[in-house]
Amino acid sequence: MAPPRACALCQTARPIVRRPKTGQQVCKDCFFHVFETEVHNTITSASLFKRGDRVAIGASGGKDSTVLAHVMKVLNDRYDYGLELYLLSIDEGITGYRDDSLESVKRNQQEYGLPLKILSYDELYGWTMDAIVEQVGRKNNCTFCGVFRRQALDRGAAALNVDHIVTGHNADDIAETVLMNIMRGDIARLGRCTLICTQGEDSIKRSKPFKYAYEKEIVMYAYFKKLDYFSTECIYSPDAYRGHARVFLKDLEAARPSAIIDIIHSGEAFQVADQVALKAQQTCKRCGYMSSNDLCKACTLLESLEKGMGQLATGDRNRRRLDGEPAPENMRTIPMFQRSTPAEPIADP
Ligand code: SF4
Ligand code: ZN
């Protein structure tokens, strides 16, 4: 009888998983080690951090950001990066979803002993996603959510006085975004969406240490490490277009696992195309956030909501901009930084 095959990496222990990324049969310890080492290599080859950086981990309570928080802590200790780590969570105000997932974040915060800041759409904008969906319906809700989240993360980062935000976007997310930008013919976004780190003048850096980590391996890592995360999808999730890209990508991956990385590399080859002149930056007349127009994207959307015209705000690309009005009482006016790229309506990491 043939003896059980040994782990492809250590050649001794019994293999228990087949790595989705490479097909290698590996033991649990080698899987942890190779996964963590690949993230470390991604971080060091892109020189993402320098000693003393204050880094906020965007923590949603989902699998990606929960594994990211765990791995960032492991690597910071193992390789002595010298980072000060924080957890930063955004409460979109989605009953039955974010309220539950934030409980996972709070438990992880206890376990890892990292400081946690939670900011809500309600306190920042005076609107919850529940209220927005009530007005705009379920078609364009993710556009509102994406614009608001991006600005909320910047405001949270400013409040924590951090230099850098890391998010749990994984290789599958990035490959999906590449496909969506190709299907929409959005070459400018195609050129940007594979960047591991984005930053404009004076702005906070945002980066994606899981750029090359496969979603399936993140799930395996969370499972074998018994991490505490919330696995339910957002109840307002159907971003139909991304859904199609996701299904297509999973089919490609089933036929050839390297498809995910190959698509990211294809997207990277387009980066030269992204030399479109950026509009001069000014500050939003309503909230003070950096903006290339009188009103920032979030305030433009807020005004449309306040006028009961939320449905129109995302549909008409050539819509007339609304004039600035004084900020309402509930609008926090934390000084803001310039952002490097326009907000992308990207699904929740
Ligand atoms: Fe917001 Fe994500 Fe839910 Fe869309 S799927 S409403 S972006 S949390
Ligand atoms: Zn604004």
Side-chain angles (χ1 to χ4, degrees), residues 151 155 284-289 291 294-300 331:
Q151 201 175 103
R155 287 175 188 267
C284 171
K285 290 201 158 57
R286 178 166 149 161
C287 75
Y289 189 78
S291 169
D294 287 353
L295 287 188
C296 72
K297 281 195 175 169
C299 286
T300 307
M331 190 87 184

PDB file of all heavy atoms in Angstrom, residues 151 155 284-289 291 294-300 331, ligand 2:
ATOM      1  N   GLN A 151     -14.628  58.185   2.169  1.00  0.00           N
ATOM      2  CA  GLN A 151     -14.414  59.420   2.933  1.00  0.00           C
ATOM      3  C   GLN A 151     -14.424  59.134   4.438  1.00  0.00           C
ATOM      4  O   GLN A 151     -13.661  59.734   5.193  1.00  0.00           O
ATOM      5  CB  GLN A 151     -15.497  60.444   2.573  1.00  0.00           C
ATOM      6  CG  GLN A 151     -15.058  61.832   2.914  1.00  0.00           C
ATOM      7  CD  GLN A 151     -16.039  62.900   2.467  1.00  0.00           C
ATOM      8  OE1 GLN A 151     -16.769  63.421   3.294  1.00  0.00           O
ATOM      9  NE2 GLN A 151     -16.068  63.223   1.189  1.00  0.00           N
ATOM     10  N   ARG A 155     -11.601  60.041   7.215  1.00  0.00           N
ATOM     11  CA  ARG A 155     -11.894  60.808   8.438  1.00  0.00           C
ATOM     12  C   ARG A 155     -11.471  60.017   9.681  1.00  0.00           C
ATOM     13  O   ARG A 155     -10.938  60.586  10.634  1.00  0.00           O
ATOM     14  CB  ARG A 155     -13.386  61.166   8.502  1.00  0.00           C
ATOM     15  CG  ARG A 155     -13.731  62.244   7.505  1.00  0.00           C
ATOM     16  CD  ARG A 155     -15.218  62.525   7.457  1.00  0.00           C
ATOM     17  NE  ARG A 155     -15.513  63.437   6.357  1.00  0.00           N
ATOM     18  CZ  ARG A 155     -15.583  64.759   6.485  1.00  0.00           C
ATOM     19  NH1 ARG A 155     -15.410  65.321   7.660  1.00  0.00           N
ATOM     20  NH2 ARG A 155     -15.831  65.511   5.446  1.00  0.00           N
ATOM     21  N   CYS A 284     -13.953  70.993  -0.581  1.00  0.00           N
ATOM     22  CA  CYS A 284     -15.412  70.985  -0.712  1.00  0.00           C
ATOM     23  C   CYS A 284     -15.997  72.150   0.074  1.00  0.00           C
ATOM     24  O   CYS A 284     -15.647  72.376   1.236  1.00  0.00           O
ATOM     25  CB  CYS A 284     -15.936  69.653  -0.170  1.00  0.00           C
ATOM     26  SG  CYS A 284     -17.722  69.588  -0.024  1.00  0.00           S
ATOM     27  N   LYS A 285     -16.904  72.904  -0.561  1.00  0.00           N
ATOM     28  CA  LYS A 285     -17.474  74.091   0.092  1.00  0.00           C
ATOM     29  C   LYS A 285     -18.358  73.721   1.267  1.00  0.00           C
ATOM     30  O   LYS A 285     -18.652  74.537   2.120  1.00  0.00           O
ATOM     31  CB  LYS A 285     -18.308  74.884  -0.920  1.00  0.00           C
ATOM     32  CG  LYS A 285     -17.474  75.569  -1.974  1.00  0.00           C
ATOM     33  CD  LYS A 285     -18.259  76.718  -2.604  1.00  0.00           C
ATOM     34  CE  LYS A 285     -17.380  77.750  -3.258  1.00  0.00           C
ATOM     35  NZ  LYS A 285     -16.510  77.217  -4.287  1.00  0.00           N
ATOM     36  N   ARG A 286     -18.779  72.502   1.303  1.00  0.00           N
ATOM     37  CA  ARG A 286     -19.716  72.109   2.355  1.00  0.00           C
ATOM     38  C   ARG A 286     -19.019  71.428   3.535  1.00  0.00           C
ATOM     39  O   ARG A 286     -19.302  71.724   4.683  1.00  0.00           O
ATOM     40  CB  ARG A 286     -20.772  71.188   1.739  1.00  0.00           C
ATOM     41  CG  ARG A 286     -21.768  70.670   2.713  1.00  0.00           C
ATOM     42  CD  ARG A 286     -22.957  70.051   1.995  1.00  0.00           C
ATOM     43  NE  ARG A 286     -23.473  68.990   2.817  1.00  0.00           N
ATOM     44  CZ  ARG A 286     -24.684  68.475   2.705  1.00  0.00           C
ATOM     45  NH1 ARG A 286     -25.515  68.914   1.785  1.00  0.00           N
ATOM     46  NH2 ARG A 286     -25.061  67.506   3.490  1.00  0.00           N
ATOM     47  N   CYS A 287     -18.078  70.513   3.237  1.00  0.00           N
ATOM     48  CA  CYS A 287     -17.504  69.754   4.352  1.00  0.00           C
ATOM     49  C   CYS A 287     -15.990  69.915   4.495  1.00  0.00           C
ATOM     50  O   CYS A 287     -15.412  69.457   5.467  1.00  0.00           O
ATOM     51  CB  CYS A 287     -17.837  68.269   4.216  1.00  0.00           C
ATOM     52  SG  CYS A 287     -16.871  67.439   2.958  1.00  0.00           S
ATOM     53  N   GLY A 288     -15.337  70.541   3.529  1.00  0.00           N
ATOM     54  CA  GLY A 288     -13.902  70.771   3.663  1.00  0.00           C
ATOM     55  C   GLY A 288     -13.025  69.648   3.161  1.00  0.00           C
ATOM     56  O   GLY A 288     -11.806  69.754   3.173  1.00  0.00           O
ATOM     57  N   TYR A 289     -13.628  68.569   2.678  1.00  0.00           N
ATOM     58  CA  TYR A 289     -12.851  67.450   2.138  1.00  0.00           C
ATOM     59  C   TYR A 289     -12.234  67.891   0.816  1.00  0.00           C
ATOM     60  O   TYR A 289     -12.799  68.700   0.098  1.00  0.00           O
ATOM     61  CB  TYR A 289     -13.824  66.284   1.914  1.00  0.00           C
ATOM     62  CG  TYR A 289     -13.196  64.957   1.570  1.00  0.00           C
ATOM     63  CD1 TYR A 289     -12.627  64.168   2.555  1.00  0.00           C
ATOM     64  CD2 TYR A 289     -13.225  64.475   0.272  1.00  0.00           C
ATOM     65  CE1 TYR A 289     -12.085  62.931   2.240  1.00  0.00           C
ATOM     66  CE2 TYR A 289     -12.685  63.236  -0.047  1.00  0.00           C
ATOM     67  CZ  TYR A 289     -12.120  62.474   0.942  1.00  0.00           C
ATOM     68  OH  TYR A 289     -11.590  61.245   0.619  1.00  0.00           O
ATOM     69  N   SER A 291     -11.435  68.077  -2.970  1.00  0.00           N
ATOM     70  CA  SER A 291     -12.363  67.774  -4.048  1.00  0.00           C
ATOM     71  C   SER A 291     -11.912  68.508  -5.303  1.00  0.00           C
ATOM     72  O   SER A 291     -11.280  69.553  -5.221  1.00  0.00           O
ATOM     73  CB  SER A 291     -13.760  68.251  -3.629  1.00  0.00           C
ATOM     74  OG  SER A 291     -14.634  68.214  -4.728  1.00  0.00           O
ATOM     75  N   ASP A 294     -16.724  72.059  -6.632  1.00  0.00           N
ATOM     76  CA  ASP A 294     -17.152  72.829  -5.460  1.00  0.00           C
ATOM     77  C   ASP A 294     -17.588  71.899  -4.327  1.00  0.00           C
ATOM     78  O   ASP A 294     -17.352  72.176  -3.159  1.00  0.00           O
ATOM     79  CB  ASP A 294     -18.335  73.735  -5.827  1.00  0.00           C
ATOM     80  CG  ASP A 294     -17.884  74.909  -6.672  1.00  0.00           C
ATOM     81  OD1 ASP A 294     -16.657  75.063  -6.842  1.00  0.00           O
ATOM     82  OD2 ASP A 294     -18.751  75.650  -7.151  1.00  0.00           O
ATOM     83  N   LEU A 295     -18.270  70.842  -4.705  1.00  0.00           N
ATOM     84  CA  LEU A 295     -18.718  69.876  -3.696  1.00  0.00           C
ATOM     85  C   LEU A 295     -18.003  68.553  -3.928  1.00  0.00           C
ATOM     86  O   LEU A 295     -17.814  68.136  -5.071  1.00  0.00           O
ATOM     87  CB  LEU A 295     -20.226  69.628  -3.821  1.00  0.00           C
ATOM     88  CG  LEU A 295     -21.176  70.724  -3.355  1.00  0.00           C
ATOM     89  CD1 LEU A 295     -22.606  70.191  -3.392  1.00  0.00           C
ATOM     90  CD2 LEU A 295     -20.836  71.182  -1.941  1.00  0.00           C
ATOM     91  N   CYS A 296     -17.631  67.878  -2.836  1.00  0.00           N
ATOM     92  CA  CYS A 296     -17.027  66.558  -2.977  1.00  0.00           C
ATOM     93  C   CYS A 296     -18.118  65.557  -3.378  1.00  0.00           C
ATOM     94  O   CYS A 296     -19.313  65.872  -3.328  1.00  0.00           O
ATOM     95  CB  CYS A 296     -16.347  66.138  -1.675  1.00  0.00           C
ATOM     96  SG  CYS A 296     -17.477  65.714  -0.349  1.00  0.00           S
ATOM     97  N   LYS A 297     -17.693  64.364  -3.755  1.00  0.00           N
ATOM     98  CA  LYS A 297     -18.675  63.362  -4.209  1.00  0.00           C
ATOM     99  C   LYS A 297     -19.707  63.040  -3.126  1.00  0.00           C
ATOM    100  O   LYS A 297     -20.880  62.877  -3.411  1.00  0.00           O
ATOM    101  CB  LYS A 297     -17.967  62.066  -4.599  1.00  0.00           C
ATOM    102  CG  LYS A 297     -17.350  62.157  -5.944  1.00  0.00           C
ATOM    103  CD  LYS A 297     -16.995  60.774  -6.445  1.00  0.00           C
ATOM    104  CE  LYS A 297     -16.494  60.940  -7.861  1.00  0.00           C
ATOM    105  NZ  LYS A 297     -15.884  59.804  -8.434  1.00  0.00           N
ATOM    106  N   ALA A 298     -19.214  62.914  -1.878  1.00  0.00           N
ATOM    107  CA  ALA A 298     -20.139  62.539  -0.800  1.00  0.00           C
ATOM    108  C   ALA A 298     -21.191  63.625  -0.621  1.00  0.00           C
ATOM    109  O   ALA A 298     -22.382  63.344  -0.466  1.00  0.00           O
ATOM    110  CB  ALA A 298     -19.372  62.297   0.493  1.00  0.00           C
ATOM    111  N   CYS A 299     -20.761  64.913  -0.646  1.00  0.00           N
ATOM    112  CA  CYS A 299     -21.726  65.997  -0.424  1.00  0.00           C
ATOM    113  C   CYS A 299     -22.689  66.116  -1.598  1.00  0.00           C
ATOM    114  O   CYS A 299     -23.860  66.463  -1.403  1.00  0.00           O
ATOM    115  CB  CYS A 299     -21.000  67.313  -0.164  1.00  0.00           C
ATOM    116  SG  CYS A 299     -20.269  67.331   1.491  1.00  0.00           S
ATOM    117  N   THR A 300     -22.225  65.837  -2.814  1.00  0.00           N
ATOM    118  CA  THR A 300     -23.131  65.861  -3.961  1.00  0.00           C
ATOM    119  C   THR A 300     -24.221  64.805  -3.773  1.00  0.00           C
ATOM    120  O   THR A 300     -25.409  65.070  -3.971  1.00  0.00           O
ATOM    121  CB  THR A 300     -22.346  65.577  -5.269  1.00  0.00           C
ATOM    122  OG1 THR A 300     -21.251  66.483  -5.340  1.00  0.00           O
ATOM    123  CG2 THR A 300     -23.223  65.750  -6.492  1.00  0.00           C
ATOM    124  N   MET A 331     -22.899  67.158  10.512  1.00  0.00           N
ATOM    125  CA  MET A 331     -21.769  66.871   9.639  1.00  0.00           C
ATOM    126  C   MET A 331     -20.495  67.206  10.389  1.00  0.00           C
ATOM    127  O   MET A 331     -20.249  68.352  10.718  1.00  0.00           O
ATOM    128  CB  MET A 331     -21.909  67.757   8.406  1.00  0.00           C
ATOM    129  CG  MET A 331     -20.970  67.403   7.331  1.00  0.00           C
ATOM    130  SD  MET A 331     -21.687  66.133   6.309  1.00  0.00           S
ATOM    131  CE  MET A 331     -20.296  65.866   5.246  1.00  0.00           C
TER     132      MET A 331
HETATM  133 ZN    ZN B   2     -17.985  67.487   0.924  1.00  0.00          ZN
END
